[in-house]
Amino acid sequence: PRARAAPPRLFIKHEKEQAIVEIELAPLLKSNGKEATHIIKRIIDRDRGSDRGKGAGASTYFINGHKSTLKSVKELVSDRYHIHIDNLCTFLPQDKVGNFSGFDKQALLLETEKSLSGHLYNTHQDLIELERALQSSGTDVATIENELAKLTKENERLEREKELMEERQSYLERIDLLKKKRAWLIFDQKREEAKAAKEQREELKRKRKEAEREVRPLKEKHADVAGKHSRIESRYKAVETKIKKDKKAYDDCLAKADRYTDEFGNELSEYHTIDAQQRRAEKAVEKERLRLEQIEAEGNEYPSMEVIDRTMSEKKVEMARLKAQKVSEQRQVSGVIERIEDAEMEKKQAAERLAGLKDDKALRLQMICQRIKSVGDAYDFIDHNRKMFRRKVWGPIAAEVQPNNQKSASYLENHVAQNTWKAFVVECKQDYDLLYREVKQKLNISINIIMVNNGQHESRPRLYSDARMEVLRQEHGFLDYLDETFTAPGPIMGALIDRHNVDRVLVGGDAVHNSLERKDLIEFLSSKERGPGKQGSCFFYTYKNSSFKYTSQVSRYTGLIGTQTDDIGQARLLRPGSDPRVKDQLAETIQKSDEIMTTLQPEVDATNARIHELNVHGGTISQQFKDAKRTKTEFGVYKMKLRNQRDKLEEAQEAASKDNDKEKAKKVAKIKKLVENSTAMSESAADMHNQIMKGTHTLTGVKMSEDGLSDSLRKLADQLQEKQAETADLANQYKAADNEYNQKKGILKKLLKDAETIAPKEEWHERLEKEDLPENLEGVEDSLDEAENKVNSITDNPHVMLQYEQRKKEIGKLQEQLDEVGGEKEMKKKQLNQKLDRWESALINIVEKVSGKFSAYMKEVGCAGEVRLHTGGKDATENDDGENRCYNFKDWGVEILVKFREVSSLQALSAQTHSGGERSVSTIMYLMGLQNLMASPFRCVDEINQGLDERNERLVFKRIVENSTMPAKSSNSDHCGQYFLITPKLLPNLDGMENENITVLFVFSGTHNFSNCLDWNVDKFIEDKKRFLSQDEEQESSSSRKRRSK
């Protein structure tokens, strides 16, 4: 592959699994005189490394046979051999020529220094740092002086604060005395309050005892009256209970008397109806006799029981036979029906599974959303907010495409980039902006969006005409274009055509491989039908059950066709959502189930028809059996009716034959008994009524006594409650007074303790009396407030004395620093001058040498050139005192001046001013001027000649050969270095190609090249060529003789 950033695995030779690159670096002499070589080997494996990592993990590195890392290899070539891969003066690829000519003066000097000597570059960096330090040292003195003045002024302020703090301390001492005095004054005041509280408590205690003595007689009298009231209340309840019992007995006697009276009336009524009942019984006997005769007449219509039993037995046997036959038929058909039902169930299950598996779009969408979270999140937003968009939003594209088969899926997935498969398609600019803003900017979800305007892509002609396509089908085995191997909605198809030209990619079979081997297929595909020139092509084909992608491109430099063949793996994103083999198995299951049901259904229908005939015949026999059974049942009912009617007739005859006189005598005796019972109950009720009236009189007297006692008890209770409330109030007052006294006593103890703690009486009493302090509490409080106000007006700064002394020490240190700064500055200035002299002289010498060679080389190609050293305006600026000179080392640089036309003047080389060829000539000539001065053992340029015309290319090549093949002056170690020129082509008959120090390396790659480079035999090639030429001469002489003979 041509891409410099391509994965390393693509550099492996066709049909090989590994590539090995081995480099042996130029020997270095050890201290013992022996030579030490370093052999660096890189092995690239096709199967190692991930696709996303671009194959970085596919390489393994070795140094002198020992496994190593890429980092160690870079350190070895950089530290030991002074080879800097990123230095464009040493390694210059063709695409970096613009970068080289775009360097400013400063960057070009740094790159030149790196390529010549690490010492020059490091000295330059040291000078920049020393100049920066000297520039900052001038400001250090002023900084120290300013800081010294600042600290002196601050110390004066601290001295004033110290005086205020001493005044504040005197007030704090007076506050302490006042607080001690106040503590004893508060104690004396609280002691008087405690004495008064104690006297009040003793008075309340006396009053409480007197009230308790007055309550005792009232309690005794109240208890006596309460006992009498309780006894009267018990008697009242007993009398009331007796009255209730007597009243209940009275009510019971009245109820019984009424019941006896009712029964008397009923018995008397029945006595008068005995004769009428006799007449009704005689009529009932005649009626029942007539009904018995009718029932006996009905029995003549029924057959005999023997006939009925025989008929039922025969029908029962016939029904059993038909049932057995029906069961046999059903058992036979049930197995068949069960097989049909199993087939139907299996078909239904297979059909349901097949329907689910056929929805490849839904399954593929689900798979993509699960595997790629950003795509799933973006799809969820679009699906839930489709009303926001003006037109339909499609995607992801992988879910919208339906390949015709698995092979088409593999071709399509290989040809289209992964980012495109994850993209969504919109049909207008407004939807594009809305989707990008909502998903990418607001939700921070990564999304790819493709716009197909109005959902339609512009139609364009096919790459090949119909006639040429027909030739490709008939003679070369091509089948279709890639866009014909799948289906997709219009906007999706438009996106794939616009992005990946799926309408210009061919798809073929095994015959394409044969055509590649035997026919000039690539030339045929690359030739344009309209206009001159050639065109690239791309197609897929199969060979030996494997798939390949063949791509051809036309080189923009040589015009030749470059080809590339890639293996095609199985599709991943576009693979079916389910296994096709499972679909085929399910379809086969459905077909087998249909065949089973079709085969068995006629047998089931015939058996069902026979069962139906048996059911009809069995129904007739069953009905005859039921009729016989019903007749037997009805005959049994008839016999029961007959027995019942005879029983009724006997009962009626018995009722009509009763003795009426005896019945009347019984009634009379019962009536007399009822009259006696009723009279006795009435008399008992009268006795109970007299008892009730007597009890009511007694209850009234007891109630009046109870009311009198209740009134007396209530008055005593009121008096007792009033006296008890008075006593309780006195007790509460005493308790409150006692609590108050105890509280004041506790406070007094605490105040005494606090006063003794603050100012012990033995120690401070006499002093507090002698001090000029107020004698009362109010005066002490006023004096204390005044002193605290004075203290609060002065800000407390306990560290002021410490700060004062600390500032003094800092002032002394700054004074010492001020004295030392001058010496350090002189030392750095001396170091700078020493480094500057050596560095500047070496740099001027190098620039003069390079400029002389560069001018001569540019003159050889008919141009002019010069290399100048830019010193950054070192003599332009000085400080006012003339001490600090400004060199501006960071602005020093190297400037390349060129002139390509006679009328123009020298101009700085620029990517904006000069053409690509002019920049290439200037760049290579500058590098040639540096050739003998570089530290790296070899240099490399890539395609530097591609932008040159033929004249300049020949002159540049000649200069490269002369500078790179100069012999060593004294030993192999001082040679001018190896020079690698990488190019896809060279002009014929170049000067210097016959030089023995030039080695030409051809890189061969492709399907038809030698498997081993040793297979290339030049002598055999020349011998074969001579033989072919001699054969051609013989054929030509033979044909000429034939023409002369004619």
Side-chain angles (χ1 to χ4, degrees):
R2 296 285 298 162
R4 294 177 178 85
R9 288 177 301 199
L10 298 183
F11 290 86
I12 299 174
K13 191 173 182 180
H14 184 71
E15 296 183 351
K16 299 295 182 182
E17 298 301 321
Q18 277 190 348
I20 300 177
V21 180
E22 187 173 284
I23 299 175
E24 181 176 357
L25 295 179
L28 291 176
L29 289 177
K30 288 188 175 181
S31 59
N32 57 8
K34 296 183 179 180
E35 294 184 344
T37 61
H38 286 93
I39 299 176
I40 301 174
K41 182 165 69 173
R42 178 180 183 179
I43 300 177
I44 306 173
D45 286 305
R46 187 184 300 278
D47 297 330
R48 292 184 58 191
S50 63
D51 293 334
R52 293 186 178 181
K54 294 185 177 294
S59 298
T60 307
Y61 297 89
F62 296 86
I63 298 177
N64 290 340
H66 299 288
K67 189 174 181 180
S68 184
T69 62
L70 178 61
K71 181 179 178 181
S72 300
V73 173
K74 289 183 177 180
E75 290 176 353
L76 174 66
V77 299
S78 175
D79 298 340
R80 297 286 299 277
Y81 292 94
H82 308 292
I83 300 172
H84 301 282
I85 303 297
D86 56 349
N87 182 252
L88 295 184
C89 293
T90 305
F91 296 94
L92 182 64
Q94 191 269 339
D95 58 339
K96 297 293 184 179
V97 173
N99 294 1
F100 189 90
S101 58
F103 281 148
D104 56 16
K105 297 184 287 290
Q106 293 76 20
L108 182 58
L109 173 59
L110 294 178
E111 291 296 315
T112 302
E113 286 177 331
K114 290 178 185 178
S115 66
L116 298 177
S117 170
H119 176 70
L120 277 176
Y121 174 76
N122 294 332
T123 303
H124 190 180
Q125 298 303 313
D126 292 342
L127 288 170
I128 293 173
E129 187 61 32
L130 284 171
E131 183 178 20
R132 186 182 296 111
L134 282 172
Q135 290 174 350
S136 63
S137 65
T139 61
D140 289 344
V141 175
T143 302
I144 294 173
E145 290 176 346
N146 292 335
E147 185 68 18
L148 187 60
K150 178 181 176 183
L151 291 179
T152 303
K153 187 176 181 181
E154 186 175 350
N155 211 36
E156 293 174 358
R157 178 184 61 79
L158 290 174
E159 190 171 0
R160 292 193 298 271
E161 289 186 3
K162 183 187 71 167
E163 295 173 356
L164 289 173
M165 290 305 298
E166 291 174 350
E167 181 183 357
R168 187 175 186 277
Q169 184 62 31
S170 66
Y171 280 113
L172 287 174
E173 292 174 357
R174 179 171 177 79
I175 288 172
D176 184 60
L177 291 172
L178 289 170
K179 287 182 177 180
K180 288 179 169 59
K181 180 73 172 179
R182 182 179 63 176
W184 283 108
L185 290 174
I186 292 173
F187 170 74
D188 293 339
Q189 182 181 357
K190 294 298 179 181
R191 183 173 56 185
E192 295 299 326
E193 292 178 0
K195 287 181 181 180
K198 184 177 181 182
E199 293 173 356
Q200 184 181 4
R201 185 191 69 165
E202 295 300 328
E203 178 65 22
L204 289 172
K205 183 178 181 181
R206 183 185 60 76
K207 290 181 179 180
R208 186 193 67 178
K209 288 181 178 180
E210 291 178 358
E212 288 176 350
R213 285 195 297 270
E214 293 176 358
V215 168
R216 194 175 296 114
L218 285 175
K219 281 185 176 181
E220 294 174 354
K221 189 175 180 180
H222 181 273
D224 181 57
V225 174
K228 291 179 180 180
H229 180 271
S230 178
R231 290 191 293 274
I232 289 296
E233 190 177 31
S234 299
R235 187 181 176 193
Y236 176 83
K237 290 182 179 179
V239 174
E240 187 179 27
T241 301
K242 187 176 182 305
I243 291 174
K244 288 181 179 180
K245 289 181 179 179
D246 291 343
K247 188 175 182 181
K248 185 176 183 303
Y250 171 73
D251 291 337
D252 291 342
C253 290
L254 288 180
K256 288 180 180 180
D258 291 340
R259 188 172 67 251
Y260 289 145
T261 302
D262 292 339
E263 290 180 1
F264 169 76
N266 292 334
E267 292 297 329
L268 185 61
S269 176
E270 289 179 0
Y271 175 80
H272 291 301
T273 60
I274 288 175
D275 293 337
Q277 287 178 354
Q278 179 64 31
R279 290 191 296 273
R280 285 196 298 274
E282 292 175 354
K283 290 181 180 180
V285 169
E286 187 61 25
K287 181 179 178 182
E288 295 300 332
R289 184 181 292 109
L290 292 174
R291 177 62 182 158
L292 178 60
E293 291 176 356
Q294 291 176 358
I295 291 174
E296 288 176 346
E298 291 175 1
N300 297 328
E301 298 177 1
Y302 291 99
S304 63
M305 188 57 65
E306 292 79 4
V307 174
I308 294 174
D309 290 339
R310 186 172 61 254
T311 302
M312 288 180 63
S313 177
E314 292 173 355
K315 300 304 178 183
K316 190 173 183 180
V317 171
E318 182 66 16
M319 287 171 60
R321 184 186 65 78
L322 291 174
K323 184 177 180 180
Q325 187 176 354
K326 178 181 175 182
V327 167
S328 176
E329 294 288 347
Q330 287 178 340
R331 187 180 297 111
Q332 181 179 354
V333 78
S334 63
V336 179
I337 292 175
E338 185 175 348
R339 291 173 61 190
I340 293 176
E341 290 176 348
D342 291 343
E344 287 181 347
M345 180 60 69
E346 192 172 0
K347 176 184 177 181
K348 181 180 178 182
Q349 293 175 350
E352 291 176 352
R353 287 186 60 193
L354 185 60
L357 295 176
K358 284 184 177 179
D359 193 358
D360 280 341
K361 177 180 177 181
L363 293 173
R364 192 182 300 121
L365 175 62
Q366 181 182 4
M367 177 193 68
I368 294 170
C369 291
Q370 288 176 351
R371 285 179 53 186
I372 308 172
K373 185 177 184 301
S374 59
V375 175
D377 294 343
Y379 178 80
D380 288 341
F381 173 82
I382 294 169
D383 192 47
H384 289 89
N385 300 278
R386 291 195 180 274
K387 293 183 179 179
M388 294 173 58
F389 301 96
R390 299 191 176 190
R391 303 175 71 95
K392 183 174 180 179
V393 179
W394 305 84
I397 291 180
E400 302 285 356
V401 171
Q402 186 60 44
N404 294 345
N405 50 53
Q406 187 63 21
K407 190 175 297 182
S408 302
S410 300
Y411 294 162
L412 188 61
E413 183 172 325
N414 177 272
H415 184 71
V416 177
Q418 291 293 317
N419 285 339
T420 302
W421 291 126
K422 297 183 287 186
F424 294 84
V425 178
V426 297
E427 299 182 9
C428 62
K429 185 65 167 59
Q430 293 84 353
D431 286 350
Y432 182 97
D433 296 339
L434 174 62
L435 185 58
Y436 184 84
R437 181 174 63 254
E438 295 295 329
V439 176
K440 177 66 176 178
Q441 296 180 347
K442 292 185 178 180
L443 299 180
N444 197 23
I445 298 173
S446 178
I447 185 172
N448 298 326
I449 310 173
I450 300 174
M451 187 178 74
V452 178
N453 197 21
N454 295 324
Q456 299 177 353
H457 67 282
E458 297 181 2
S459 60
R460 59 183 182 184
R462 292 287 189 179
L463 186 62
Y464 307 106
S465 65
D466 293 343
R468 177 171 286 196
M469 189 62 193
E470 186 63 26
V471 172
L472 291 173
R473 286 193 177 99
Q474 297 295 331
E475 298 183 10
H476 300 285
F478 286 101
L479 304 173
D480 296 297
Y481 287 98
L482 184 58
D483 64 330
E484 296 173 338
T485 64
F486 67 95
T487 57
I492 301 298
M493 184 67 77
L496 294 176
I497 290 176
D498 293 341
R499 287 292 182 94
H500 300 285
N501 299 317
V502 295
D503 61 332
R504 295 178 173 238
V505 179
L506 296 173
V507 176
D510 288 358
V512 174
H513 178 78
N514 299 331
S515 184
L516 277 173
E517 294 289 336
R518 302 177 187 143
K519 302 178 182 178
D520 199 4
L521 174 59
I522 301 304
E523 287 294 336
F524 182 71
L525 291 174
S526 301
S527 60
K528 293 184 178 179
E529 295 185 70
R530 294 176 294 275
K534 297 181 180 181
Q535 62 185 6
S537 62
C538 178
F539 57 85
F540 292 88
Y541 67 95
T542 57
Y543 181 65
K544 293 184 178 180
N545 297 325
S546 298
S547 299
F548 301 92
K549 179 181 180 181
Y550 200 97
T551 307
S552 66
Q553 293 181 344
V554 181
S555 174
R556 60 179 179 177
Y557 302 118
T558 64
L560 300 178
I561 299 173
T563 62
Q564 178 176 335
T565 305
D566 297 310
D567 296 336
I568 304 301
Q570 293 294 325
R572 295 182 179 180
L573 284 176
L574 299 184
R575 70 171 184 265
S578 59
D579 192 345
R581 293 174 296 180
V582 176
K583 291 183 180 180
D584 296 339
Q585 292 175 358
L586 292 174
E588 184 179 353
T589 300
I590 294 172
Q591 182 179 359
K592 288 182 179 179
S593 299
D594 288 336
E595 292 174 357
I596 290 173
M597 291 188 291
T598 303
T599 303
L600 297 178
Q601 192 60 43
E603 183 179 351
V604 174
D605 294 339
T607 305
N608 286 336
R610 291 195 298 273
I611 292 173
H612 178 69
E613 292 176 359
L614 292 174
N615 286 336
V616 172
H617 185 50
T620 303
I621 300 300
S622 177
Q623 187 61 41
Q624 292 174 356
F625 175 79
K626 289 178 181 178
D627 292 342
K629 186 176 181 181
R630 185 176 60 255
T631 302
K632 183 177 181 181
T633 302
E634 290 175 353
F635 185 73
V637 172
Y638 162 75
K639 290 173 70 177
M640 186 179 296
K641 284 173 62 178
L642 184 61
R643 284 196 302 271
N644 291 339
Q645 189 59 39
R646 285 174 180 171
D647 293 339
K648 289 180 180 181
L649 180 60
E650 291 177 358
E651 291 175 358
Q653 289 174 349
E654 184 178 355
S657 62
K658 287 182 179 180
D659 187 357
N660 291 334
D661 293 335
K662 188 177 179 180
E663 187 69 23
K664 287 179 179 180
K666 288 181 180 180
K667 290 294 181 184
V668 170
K670 191 173 183 180
I671 290 171
K672 287 180 179 181
K673 183 66 175 175
L674 291 173
V675 171
E676 292 174 356
N677 290 338
S678 177
T679 302
M681 288 298 106
S682 297
E683 291 175 354
S684 298
D687 293 339
M688 290 297 105
H689 183 267
N690 292 333
Q691 294 291 335
I692 291 170
M693 293 306 293
K694 185 178 179 181
T696 302
H697 182 268
T698 302
L699 185 64
T700 301
V702 173
K703 181 64 175 174
M704 290 176 67
S705 299
E706 182 190 10
D707 292 342
L709 289 171
S710 296
D711 184 57
S712 299
L713 186 63
R714 186 168 54 255
K715 290 179 180 179
L716 286 171
D718 292 341
Q719 293 176 6
L720 180 61
Q721 185 177 4
E722 183 179 353
K723 204 64 179 176
Q724 287 176 338
E726 182 181 352
T727 303
D729 183 53
L730 287 172
N732 290 335
Q733 291 180 19
Y734 170 76
K735 186 177 180 180
D738 185 58
N739 290 337
E740 183 179 1
Y741 169 71
N742 291 331
Q743 185 178 5
K744 289 182 180 296
K745 186 178 178 182
I747 292 173
L748 191 63
K749 289 181 180 180
K750 184 177 182 302
L751 289 173
L752 178 60
K753 183 179 179 181
D754 292 343
E756 288 288 349
T757 302
I758 296 173
K761 193 170 185 179
E762 294 180 358
E763 180 182 350
W764 287 91
H765 182 68
E766 293 181 3
R767 182 178 175 184
L768 292 176
E769 292 296 332
K770 292 179 181 179
E771 290 286 345
D772 183 19
L773 300 175
E775 294 298 329
N776 55 25
L777 184 61
E778 184 178 357
V780 170
E781 292 288 355
D782 292 340
S783 298
L784 188 61
D785 289 341
E786 182 181 357
E788 287 179 346
N789 289 333
K790 286 287 187 180
V791 170
N792 292 334
S793 66
I794 301 173
T795 304
D796 184 20
N797 189 357
H799 304 293
V800 66
M801 295 302 297
L802 181 63
Q803 290 177 357
Y804 180 74
E805 295 298 330
Q806 187 175 355
R807 291 294 181 273
K808 275 189 171 183
K809 293 179 181 179
E810 291 178 358
I811 290 171
K813 289 181 180 179
L814 286 174
Q815 190 63 46
E816 292 177 1
Q817 290 180 8
L818 190 61
D819 297 337
E820 292 175 358
V821 165
E824 183 179 355
K825 182 177 179 182
E826 290 299 325
M827 182 182 67
K828 289 183 179 179
K829 186 183 293 185
K830 184 177 180 180
Q831 290 178 359
L832 185 142
N833 291 330
Q834 289 175 352
K835 289 180 178 288
L836 174 62
D837 292 339
R838 292 193 299 269
W839 176 74
E840 185 175 16
S841 60
L843 196 60
I844 292 174
N845 184 35
I846 290 172
V847 171
E848 288 177 353
K849 289 181 179 180
V850 173
S851 180
K853 292 182 179 181
F854 180 72
S855 299
Y857 297 160
M858 290 295 289
K859 189 174 182 180
E860 289 178 357
V861 296
C863 305
E866 182 180 337
V867 178
R868 295 177 184 174
L869 177 64
H870 178 72
T871 59
K874 69 171 183 175
D875 299 325
T877 58
E878 287 186 358
N879 288 349
D880 294 337
D881 57 4
E883 291 184 358
N884 290 341
R885 190 174 187 181
C886 186
Y887 293 95
N888 294 324
F889 290 116
K890 60 182 176 56
D891 294 331
W892 283 47
V894 169
E895 192 172 26
I896 301 175
L897 302 174
V898 292
K899 183 176 77 171
F900 291 92
R901 296 165 187 82
E902 201 63 42
V903 295
S904 62
S905 58
L906 288 173
Q907 293 180 327
L909 180 65
S910 169
Q912 289 75 31
T913 305
H914 298 95
S915 66
E918 291 171 345
R919 295 200 305 272
S920 297
V921 170
S922 303
T923 299
I924 195 64
M925 292 307 180
Y926 179 76
L927 296 180
M928 289 295 102
L930 294 174
Q931 177 80 359
N932 292 340
L933 303 175
M934 290 184 182
S936 176
F938 55 82
R939 296 104 212 179
C940 179
V941 293
D942 181 19
E943 300 186 15
I944 193 68
N945 59 330
Q946 293 306 300
L948 304 177
D949 56 23
E950 182 177 348
R951 174 180 174 277
N952 285 334
E953 183 176 350
R954 292 184 181 278
L955 293 174
V956 165
F957 184 80
K958 180 181 179 182
R959 173 50 50 200
I960 292 174
V961 171
E962 290 181 359
N963 281 33
S964 303
T965 58
M966 287 188 294
K969 295 179 180 180
S970 59
S971 63
N972 291 334
S973 60
D974 65 350
H975 63 81
C976 60
Q978 286 182 286
Y979 199 93
F980 291 91
L981 173 63
I982 302 174
T983 179
K985 69 178 182 66
L986 286 173
L987 293 173
N989 302 321
L990 288 172
D991 291 339
M993 286 296 292
E994 68 282 358
N995 194 307
E996 294 182 355
N997 291 324
I998 294 179
T999 302
V1000 180
L1001 301 176
F1002 286 98
V1003 179
F1004 294 98
S1005 179
T1007 307
H1008 305 290
N1009 288 305
F1010 292 111
S1011 300
N1012 192 325
C1013 61
L1014 299 178
D1015 294 340
W1016 175 256
N1017 190 329
V1018 178
D1019 295 335
K1020 185 175 184 304
F1021 174 79
I1022 295 174
E1023 181 181 347
D1024 292 341
K1025 183 65 175 177
K1026 289 179 178 179
R1027 185 174 67 254
F1028 292 148
L1029 290 175
S1030 62
Q1031 291 176 356
D1032 291 341
E1033 291 175 357
E1034 291 178 359
Q1035 291 177 358
E1036 185 177 354
S1037 61
S1038 176
S1039 59
S1040 61
R1041 284 196 300 272
K1042 289 181 179 179
R1043 285 196 298 271
R1044 285 195 299 270
S1045 63
K1046 290 180 180 180

